[in-house]
Amino acid sequence: MKKYVVLFIGVILVAFIISCVIFMGDHELDLNSEEVSILYSYLGEVDVYHCGGLNQYTGEEVTYDDISTSNKLCQAYYTADKDNIQNEESNTTTTNDQDVAICEVGDTIRLAALEDENTCSYQTISKDDLNEAYHDVYGTDMPEEENTSFYIGAAEACYLEEGEYYCGNAETFTWSLRPEATIYRLLNNAVKRINGDIVITDYYLRISDNKCYSSNNTDSEITACSNALSENPDTTIDSEFVQEYGTLYEHTFKRNSNGTNYWYSSNIK
């Protein structure tokens, strides 16, 4: 009888351990869930003028310190709660040396009006609200000494004055000439680790001048992919093509003290 009792207890313990592994271990997340969509948005956009583009896809490990403060502030701006961003308008008050109409807003900030316009449309967001969004994305506060201004587009910038950012058309800006390219990304899976971290993997493929590349660097060509395009110029770039020739990247989002996740690192898997 004692033998059967021991055996029964053993079976119960095994069942308990299996249950713990199932319910407390790693488990996959729905790729269409809001949680995954929000975290994936932290990686940026394909547009190089939108916060520098996809800064995490370099072919090497990328962490917080590898992204410029300006691009991180920009990403926080686009992540911020839209209810915290106010739309404003101001009349032009002067022109600069290039005969561009200027709006003087705040005490010291100058924004440019569009051609043939006599008003400037711009947005404002408090430093505290931007810092909250920055903390959501990167798990830390904005660096005090580097947060006075940043670009949010090719010709749009935000300027800090007394705890408030004014964001509009910049008086001066620089265009960056880059080869025309089309970038494809395909979500592969998302897993929540037992420690609370979330890992998202996706396929990345950049095509420029009918050649394929595995990162934002122009020297990382995927020869097999380039050959496939060369042999059949009418090839349809669909999800199957991206999965076959794209490079698999892994993005880790660490768990924050408030229970949310922030971007921590990205690298080729």
Side-chain angles (χ1 to χ4, degrees):
M1 184 68 179
K2 183 176 180 182
K3 177 179 174 182
Y4 290 109
V5 171
V6 172
L7 179 61
F8 178 75
I9 294 174
V11 171
I12 295 296
L13 286 174
V14 170
F16 176 75
I17 293 172
I18 293 175
S19 298
C20 288
V21 171
I22 293 174
F23 294 105
M24 298 179 62
D26 298 350
H27 65 275
E28 289 193 13
L29 301 175
D30 181 358
L31 294 180
N32 296 314
S33 67
E34 182 180 14
E35 182 177 32
V36 172
S37 297
I38 289 174
L39 294 179
Y40 199 56
S41 72
Y42 292 172
L43 302 178
E45 301 289 339
V46 298
D47 183 359
V48 296
Y49 296 110
H50 180 105
C51 310
L54 298 171
N55 297 292
Q56 285 86 346
Y57 298 80
T58 68
E60 299 177 352
E61 183 179 32
V62 178
T63 60
Y64 177 85
D65 291 333
D66 297 313
I67 299 177
S68 71
T69 298
S70 178
N71 284 336
K72 285 184 288 200
L73 290 168
C74 173
Q75 188 60 46
Y77 174 83
Y78 285 110
T79 302
D81 188 333
K82 299 302 179 284
D83 291 337
N84 294 331
I85 300 177
Q86 307 302 316
N87 293 310
E88 309 283 355
E89 191 173 88
S90 180
N91 293 323
T92 57
T93 55
T94 186
T95 58
N96 63 14
D97 294 339
Q98 289 74 44
D99 204 31
V100 175
I102 298 298
C103 297
E104 297 169 302
V105 299
D107 292 329
T108 61
I109 295 170
R110 292 161 60 95
L111 299 174
L114 297 176
E115 188 174 359
D116 298 326
E117 296 284 342
N118 58 7
T119 60
C120 299
S121 296
Y122 61 97
Q123 294 75 44
T124 60
I125 181 173
S126 73
K127 178 183 175 183
D128 289 340
D129 287 335
L130 185 68
N131 185 63
E132 182 178 341
Y134 191 98
H135 201 283
D136 287 342
V137 180
Y138 300 109
T140 188
D141 290 336
M142 300 185 301
E144 284 291 336
E145 69 281 3
E146 301 177 65
N147 65 6
T148 57
S149 66
F150 57 94
Y151 279 87
I152 57 173
E156 297 174 294
C158 295
Y159 304 95
L160 178 63
E161 181 179 275
E162 298 193 2
E164 196 85 6
Y165 282 96
Y166 296 78
C167 306
N169 291 319
E171 186 176 2
T172 59
F173 55 89
T174 302
W175 287 97
S176 176
L177 298 178
R178 303 192 184 190
E180 185 176 345
T182 303
I183 294 175
Y184 301 89
R185 288 192 299 165
L186 177 66
L187 275 169
N188 180 53
N189 76 338
V191 175
K192 190 164 191 176
R193 303 295 191 197
I194 192 171
N195 64 356
D197 292 353
I198 292 176
V199 177
I200 297 176
T201 60
D202 66 343
Y203 290 95
Y204 170 97
L205 179 64
R206 181 168 62 88
I207 299 179
S208 178
D209 195 24
N210 222 36
K211 292 184 179 181
C212 306
Y213 301 94
S214 62
S215 73
N216 289 329
N217 301 326
T218 57
D219 59 352
S220 50
E221 184 178 354
I222 306 172
T223 306
C225 178
S226 298
N227 291 341
L229 293 178
S230 177
E231 293 168 3
N232 186 5
D234 296 325
T235 298
T236 299
I237 312 299
D238 55 15
S239 59
E240 291 183 3
F241 186 93
V242 174
Q243 188 169 13
E244 180 176 358
Y245 294 108
T247 299
L248 191 62
Y249 277 79
E250 180 178 83
H251 313 280
T252 300
F253 299 84
K254 288 286 186 182
R255 193 163 184 81
N256 220 330
S257 57
N258 62 5
T260 61
N261 290 75
Y262 63 93
W263 174 78
Y264 178 77
S265 67
S266 296
N267 57 275
I268 289 179
K269 184 172 173 60

